[in-house]
Structures are given as C-alpha cells and as structure tokens.
Amino acid sequence: MVSRKDLGSWLTGPDTSGISKYPGARLGLPESGPGSMARAGRRILGICIDWGLALLISNFAFAGNQWATLAVFAVEQILLIGTLGYSIGHRIAGIHVVKLSGGPAGPLAALVRTLLLCLVIPAVIFDPDQRGLHDKAMNTILIRM
C-alpha cells in the first residue's frame, strides 16, 4: 500500500535544502560586493581581454601563430597571477585569484591553474559556486576586488 507520505516525496520536487542561495555561500563569501564570488560576466570579460592581448602580441611577434598565442596567454597568466594575483583582464574586470584560505594564489597554483585553463574543458565544467575544475584543483577562487 502506498502512503500519502510516499506520494508527497516525489510530488513536492527535489530536496533543495542543501543547495546554497547564491554562488559562494557555501564558502562563506558575501553575496555581492568586494570579496564575493566573481560571476560569469566578469570572468568572461577578463579572459576575453587576456586572449585579445595575447592575440595582439602573437600577431606582431609571431605572425599570428596559434601556438604562440596560447603560449603568450599562458605566460601572462602564470607570471601575473603568480605574482600579483590577477592578470590584465582580471584587473580590468575587477576580479582576482586567491586561495580559499584568503592568501595569494602563488606561483605553483598559477602554473597548474593556467595549464588546466589552457585545456579549456576544466574551465567550463564548474560547481554550484561557479568554481571551474582548474580552480578546484588548486583550491583557488576568483573574487571581486
């Protein structure tokens, strides 16, 4: 015999009690403003600016070679994120990369994160907090400045 309680479990929809209300809530970040999770628009703007700069440099220095463009992009990401915590595109978009603990990303995190970013797939697969696999692998997050 089917009870009313059993029917109600699928009629009411999935249990959403464990789902956070906004990206970054599970990580203890504010919903908006400085220190909040960088949303997709800022992230896309930042990477487009960085890729455009890499393409510009590659066109002048390497006749637009596609591998040179990727190398220029990777070098910019590794050097700038590893030392400053943000790339040129990130700075313009008002975001930066930090460790979950709040400290700077550092050179090793920047290197591994960039290598995974250059593979593209880890960057487009993300969790409910909008952290890509490249960020999850190095325990980093992109937050608003």
Side-chain angles (χ1 to χ4, degrees):
M1 176 140 199
V2 177
S3 71
R4 186 176 183 107
K5 182 179 177 185
D6 292 334
L7 287 176
S9 65
W10 64 270
L11 288 175
T12 58
D15 179 20
T16 59
S17 61
I19 298 175
S20 59
K21 295 178 180 11
Y22 61 90
R26 296 181 317 159
L27 304 172
L29 300 176
E31 186 172 0
S32 61
S36 66
M37 183 66 72
R39 300 296 205 276
R42 289 178 185 265
R43 296 167 74 104
I44 292 168
L45 174 64
I47 201 165
C48 286
I49 291 169
D50 289 336
W51 189 257
L53 290 171
L55 193 56
L56 187 68
I57 293 168
S58 174
N59 280 335
F60 284 112
F62 305 104
N65 181 290
Q66 61 190 1
W67 293 108
T69 304
L70 185 62
V72 169
F73 175 80
V75 167
E76 177 208 8
Q77 295 288 306
I78 292 167
L79 290 177
L80 294 179
I81 291 174
T83 57
L84 302 174
Y86 51 82
S87 66
I88 295 168
H90 288 157
R91 182 67 177 172
I92 292 170
I95 58 179
H96 67 285
V97 180
V98 296
K99 289 279 199 184
L100 273 178
S101 61
L108 179 62
L111 174 69
V112 174
R113 187 180 181 280
T114 299
L115 292 176
L116 291 172
L117 179 62
C118 288
L119 294 175
V120 178
I121 299 300
V124 296
I125 298 174
F126 50 90
D127 68 5
D129 290 312
Q130 297 181 356
R131 289 177 61 212
L133 292 179
H134 63 304
D135 280 324
K136 289 180 74 81
M138 294 314 299
N139 231 10
T140 57
I141 51 174
L142 263 167
I143 60 173
R144 292 182 58 188
M145 294 179 140

